[in-house]
Amino acid sequence: RSLLSPRSWCGCLGFVFGLSSVAQVVLGRGDFGQHLSINLGFGIGVTLGIHAAGGISGAHLNAAITLTHCLLGNLPWRKLPAYLIGQFLGSFTAAATVFGLYYDALYDYTKGNFTVTGPTATASIFSTYPAPYVSLLGGFFTEFMATVMLLLGILIIHDEKNNGALKGTQALLTGILVLGIGLGMGMNTGYAINPSRDLPPRIFTAIAGWGMDVFTAGHHWWWVPLTAPILGSLAGVLIHKLFIDFHNQPVPESGNEKGQPVMETSTL
């Protein structure tokens, strides 16, 4: 089964839920959803994406996490290009799908003038941009910390030596984790936390009418959602290793010293 099969990269089409929820909030001028709608959309999309692609790729929907696995030796480097291409195709196709879905609404909202900034800006439907008050350093730190939380959460959910999630619930809990990050850390930058979620739609918008402003806006913000999540992912793994994994006790084969049953752990 190829990592580039439709089933593999269709996992990233879960982002259709996230991007379309942003489109509905922006283009509906607040009458068809609020900030919570966007967070729920991405949480649901991540959950479905994991279910769609988990059987082939292990649900690698995030380039930062994939690269981290390669650096740690958990994934062969020869597989990295296939994973990244699959992620790119899925996210790019998601952006194109949402563009087609809301094509008429986009034209009605912007009068045909697609802009990155201004009162009728719509580029943020597809990719992240920093809030006007956020400095480049502040935005970088926000993306870094949000990705740290993402990795810590994912590792805890799948930690069989600690108190891992029950088998079959990991996808749902990961979606809830993304929802929580959006609820608590989404205001500054829109919480990209994933190069695969941010760059392909940005390239799509550059092609589809927004132009090269998508790469120059926000003091050339585009590189931050690529680098900060990678560093945050590595930091999250390190923190989990130092403060949790090194202190885990081996899982006993059956029962504990008092003869009580051991809580069931999960497998990915």
Side-chain angles (χ1 to χ4, degrees):
R1 296 184 297 178
S2 171
L3 291 173
L4 293 180
S5 70
R7 179 182 165 191
S8 179
W9 59 263
C10 270
C12 279
L13 286 181
F15 290 128
V16 168
F17 284 89
L19 298 182
S20 60
S21 67
V22 182
Q24 185 161 286
V25 171
V26 172
L27 302 178
R29 303 178 190 271
D31 293 332
F32 295 90
Q34 300 292 334
H35 183 62
L36 177 60
S37 307
I38 297 172
N39 297 323
L40 287 170
F42 275 106
I44 293 169
V46 167
T47 299
L48 294 178
I50 292 173
H51 279 297
I56 289 182
S57 70
H60 280 245
L61 308 181
N62 189 324
I65 296 178
T66 302
L67 180 59
T68 297
H69 277 297
C70 289
L71 291 171
L72 295 176
N74 299 330
L75 183 71
W77 283 97
R78 59 182 172 79
K79 292 187 178 182
L80 180 62
Y83 276 98
L84 296 185
I85 292 172
Q87 292 163 8
F88 183 100
L89 288 173
S91 188
F92 189 92
T93 306
T97 300
V98 172
F99 179 78
L101 182 65
Y102 281 106
Y103 182 82
D104 294 332
L106 276 165
Y107 263 84
D108 178 69
Y109 183 82
T110 65
K111 309 307 178 189
N113 183 26
F114 296 166
T115 59
V116 179
T117 58
T120 59
T122 48
S124 61
I125 291 173
F126 301 92
S127 294
T128 64
Y129 295 87
Y133 60 83
V134 176
S135 67
L136 202 60
L137 180 60
F140 191 98
F141 183 66
T142 298
E143 287 293 323
F144 173 83
M145 284 305 305
T147 313
V148 168
M149 294 298 105
L150 176 67
L151 259 292
L152 280 174
I154 289 174
L155 292 172
I156 290 169
I157 288 169
H158 295 94
D159 190 351
E160 295 183 354
K161 293 187 292 183
N162 189 13
N163 188 19
L166 295 177
K167 181 177 176 61
T169 66
Q170 294 94 338
L172 175 61
L173 290 174
T174 303
I176 294 173
L177 170 64
V178 172
L179 168 62
I181 291 172
L183 290 174
M185 302 182 181
M187 186 173 74
N188 286 345
T189 63
Y191 71 110
I193 60 175
N194 181 358
S196 305
R197 170 262 180 274
D198 197 80
L199 181 61
R202 195 178 299 273
I203 293 174
F204 173 81
T205 52
I207 298 170
W210 283 264
M212 296 306 292
D213 286 350
V214 300
F215 292 104
T216 59
H219 304 288
H220 296 82
W221 167 258
W222 70 273
W223 64 271
V224 175
L226 299 185
T227 56
I230 293 174
L231 295 176
S233 179
L234 292 170
V237 170
L238 178 62
I239 292 171
H240 179 267
K241 183 68 69 174
L242 291 177
F243 294 98
I244 298 178
D245 191 48
F246 283 158
H247 306 282
N248 279 338
Q249 299 297 320
V251 178
E253 293 184 2
S254 62
N256 58 21
E257 293 181 357
K258 295 183 180 181
Q260 297 174 339
V262 174
M263 184 176 295
E264 182 181 352
T265 56
S266 65
T267 57
L268 176 60

